[in-house]
Amino acid sequence: MLTVAIVGKPNVGKSTLFNRIISERKSIVLDEPGVTRDRIYGIGEWLNKKFSIIDTGGLTNEELPFAENIKIQVGYALDEADVILFVVSAKDGINENDLYVAKLLRKFKHKKIILVGNKSESDKNQNVDFYQLGFGKIFYISAEHGIGVGDLLDEIVKLDDSKPTDEVEEQQDKTSFCIIGRTNVGKSTLMNAILNKERSLVSEQEHSTHDAIDEDFEYEGKQYTIIDTAGIRRKGKIVQLVERFSVMRTEKAISRSKVVILLLDGSNDFNEQDEIIGGLAFKANIPTIICVNKWDLARKNKISVEQTTTTIRQKFKFLSWAPIIYVSAKNQYNIPLIFDTINAIQREQTIKVNTSMLNNILAKAQITNPPPLYHGGRIAISYATQVNSQIPTFVLFVNKPEFLHFTYGRYIENKIRESFGIKYTPITVYYKSKDARIRKE
């Protein structure tokens, strides 16, 4: 598949063009330079041909935060690319940063470089002498309004000598998982350790990742998609618009994941913000792995697994079913255990419970521990069945759902877990009036 990289100075509309091509608002777009810092990947399609496309951070020769790290990330994208879209602003003209980018790209003259003059809504914006950059013909477009983008895509697919694909090839189902956590707990370092390469920008400065970043990869013959996310601060500190975007993208990343990795910093005390972020995973009702990072530092500080596990179970009672693993992303310690745990979770997600066995277990549970009086009556379970869902889900038909006390509901859930070996995934138990089942039958 052809790979296309979009490069240029800050604030020329690279992310707008990226989103236009993939037909999705994946990269954050704001009228503010330096918003995109990592490499963002997507799939474009034109005239029945698909190609991989990479959005990159803005290149500048100014001494700005992250400038050097962005340059490194852009370098990776350029190495991967078959085609490079050098985006300039037809509205603003050429400045020293454009000349700086042009100089860098001359090292890649062996690759196809297409000069793109964005923000060309008006003909008067097409009078700038971009030929001085040394890349020949310029394609004038407006990424925001879609003007000229079709001609640009025509030029891109001409360079692809693969055969058109009229049908989407069937692909192996991928397990998608995201990494969430507060700022500076090592999310991007963990992603790089899992992929065994410098995929995400890593910085000691907090909040260096804004976008949710996807990467497909294979591990021991299985297909995965990993989603890195921006660190979430307390709401009171989310004062910049770009950070609010990052929070929303983190929530979206959780919603499209099959597993969530909640990353904690084992070398420091856990705080309220860790609990709030864990609550996002709980609210989404998605299997979650509590991953304690920087365990190499924690051990140097004489912090024990037993002590930390006890603290986590106290602070994250709502994630009582979540497995806890201890890793060092920096030293790549225990990284394979992440995949072993994901596999264990997936086995539990596919458990099919025998209906008669389920009903026998619940009948014995009610005899062993009768339900308490609540709201003027006692709940009585007459029939139970499992229904298809992403996580183990059960429907229990009862006399009156309002008679259920939450402590008895927890007791019933624990009985189901113990009986069928469901330890590492959330389960859902619905209580419905038995009259509803009778009417249905």
Side-chain angles (χ1 to χ4, degrees):
M1 185 185 292
L2 197 72
T3 299
V4 180
I6 305 175
V7 300
K9 68 183 179 185
N11 210 29
V12 291
K14 297 183 298 298
S15 294
T16 303
L17 177 59
F18 176 84
N19 289 340
R20 170 70 63 178
I21 290 174
I22 68 170
S23 301
E24 180 185 348
R25 287 185 60 85
K26 190 173 185 180
S27 275
I28 298 175
V29 178
L30 289 175
D31 189 18
E32 175 185 335
V35 171
T36 300
R37 296 170 182 170
D38 295 290
R39 312 193 307 280
I40 315 298
Y41 287 70
I43 298 296
E45 183 173 5
W46 188 251
L47 300 178
N48 288 332
K49 284 194 174 184
K50 290 188 175 183
F51 54 90
S52 175
I53 187 159
I54 312 170
D55 187 19
T56 65
L59 289 166
T60 175
N61 61 353
E62 301 172 35
E63 294 185 3
L64 298 175
F66 304 107
E68 190 57 35
N69 284 331
I70 289 171
K71 182 179 176 181
I72 292 170
Q73 292 293 317
V74 173
Y76 286 128
L78 293 174
D79 286 337
E80 292 180 55
D82 304 298
V83 179
I84 299 167
L85 302 184
F86 177 14
V87 182
V88 294
S89 172
K91 180 180 179 182
D92 301 327
I94 297 173
N95 65 16
E96 290 183 2
N97 284 327
D98 293 300
L99 299 175
Y100 172 71
V101 177
K103 183 178 179 181
L104 289 178
L105 292 183
R106 289 192 187 100
K107 299 176 184 178
F108 297 88
K109 277 284 191 149
H110 59 288
K111 300 191 177 188
K112 176 64 177 178
I113 299 175
I114 301 175
L115 187 60
V116 181
N118 191 28
K119 304 184 182 181
S120 298
E121 293 84 358
S122 171
D123 290 341
K124 68 180 181 180
N125 292 341
Q126 301 181 11
N127 297 325
V128 181
D129 182 15
F130 288 109
Y131 287 95
Q132 63 178 290
L133 295 173
F135 296 99
K137 178 183 177 182
I138 182 167
F139 283 79
Y140 288 102
I141 70 164
S142 168
E144 183 177 358
H145 302 287
I147 300 168
V149 176
D151 293 336
L152 175 62
L153 292 173
D154 284 342
E155 183 69 15
I156 291 172
V157 297
K158 281 180 188 177
L159 304 170
D160 186 358
D161 56 5
S162 63
K163 295 179 180 179
T165 53
D166 293 323
E167 297 181 4
V168 178
E169 295 181 6
E170 188 175 337
Q171 296 182 346
Q172 183 180 343
D173 187 36
K174 293 185 177 68
T175 298
S176 58
F177 62 96
C178 67
I179 306 172
I180 65 172
R182 58 184 167 92
T183 56
N184 214 30
V185 294
K187 296 182 298 300
S188 294
T189 305
L190 178 59
M191 184 174 188
N192 291 338
I194 289 171
L195 298 172
N196 198 26
K197 63 180 179 178
E198 289 292 318
R199 172 60 182 83
S200 275
L201 182 154
V202 178
S203 170
E204 292 300 318
Q205 182 172 337
E206 290 189 355
H207 229 60
S208 59
T209 299
H210 284 328
D211 298 282
I213 305 166
D214 293 18
E215 176 92 354
D216 295 334
F217 68 102
E218 182 177 315
Y219 182 83
E220 294 189 348
K222 293 186 177 181
Q223 301 297 319
Y224 296 89
T225 300
I226 185 171
I227 309 168
D228 186 19
T229 61
I232 302 177
R233 298 180 177 182
R234 286 175 297 174
K235 285 190 176 181
K237 289 190 176 181
I238 303 175
V239 294
Q240 296 182 15
L241 181 58
V242 65
E243 291 187 12
R244 292 203 295 271
F245 271 109
S246 295
V247 171
M248 289 188 291
R249 274 168 167 68
T250 296
E251 292 174 332
K252 183 178 179 182
I254 291 172
S255 70
R256 57 192 180 90
S257 297
K258 294 180 180 177
V259 178
V260 173
I261 295 179
L262 171 61
L263 198 62
L264 305 176
D265 183 349
S267 66
N268 288 305
D269 292 336
F270 309 133
N271 61 29
E272 182 185 0
Q273 189 61 10
D274 291 312
E275 297 174 47
I276 291 171
I277 296 168
L280 296 177
F282 172 75
K283 182 180 177 182
N285 210 25
I286 291 173
T288 300
I289 300 170
I290 298 176
C291 193
V292 184
N293 190 27
K294 305 184 183 181
W295 197 240
D296 52 325
L297 299 177
R299 285 190 294 194
K300 286 181 181 178
N301 295 332
K302 308 298 183 183
I303 300 174
S304 70
V305 168
E306 293 77 15
Q307 172 189 348
T308 306
T309 299
T310 299
T311 301
I312 290 173
R313 290 307 182 202
Q314 289 173 346
K315 286 185 172 291
F316 298 89
K317 290 180 180 178
F318 50 88
L319 294 176
S320 59
W321 40 262
I324 303 171
I325 62 177
Y326 294 84
V327 306
S328 170
K330 184 178 180 180
N331 298 333
Q332 297 197 341
Y333 167 71
N334 256 356
I335 299 301
L337 185 57
I338 293 175
F339 295 96
D340 293 341
T341 309
I342 290 175
N343 290 337
I345 287 171
Q346 289 185 308
R347 285 193 294 271
E348 290 189 4
Q349 285 179 284
T350 57
I351 284 176
K352 300 299 180 186
V353 170
N354 180 278
T355 302
S356 61
M357 187 180 298
L358 173 64
N359 282 277
N360 287 337
I361 287 168
L362 294 181
K364 290 178 182 178
Q366 292 177 90
I367 294 171
T368 304
N369 183 16
L373 276 169
Y374 187 64
H375 284 173
R378 298 181 193 271
I379 197 161
I381 303 168
S382 59
Y383 182 77
T385 186
Q386 183 183 13
V387 296
N388 291 329
S389 184
Q390 183 177 339
I391 60 173
T393 302
F394 304 89
V395 178
L396 277 56
F397 293 94
V398 300
N399 51 346
K400 286 192 175 183
E402 57 266 32
F403 290 163
L404 176 70
H405 191 274
F406 75 93
T407 57
Y408 201 75
R410 188 184 303 150
Y411 164 72
I412 292 297
E413 178 181 326
N414 288 337
K415 275 296 177 184
I416 294 174
R417 286 185 177 279
E418 293 168 10
S419 302
F420 298 103
I422 305 173
K423 298 189 297 181
Y424 299 143
T425 180
I427 71 173
T428 300
V429 182
Y430 291 108
Y431 291 84
K432 287 192 173 184
S433 170
K434 62 182 179 182
D435 294 338
R437 179 169 176 254
I438 293 171
R439 286 194 298 270
K440 185 176 179 180
E441 294 175 342

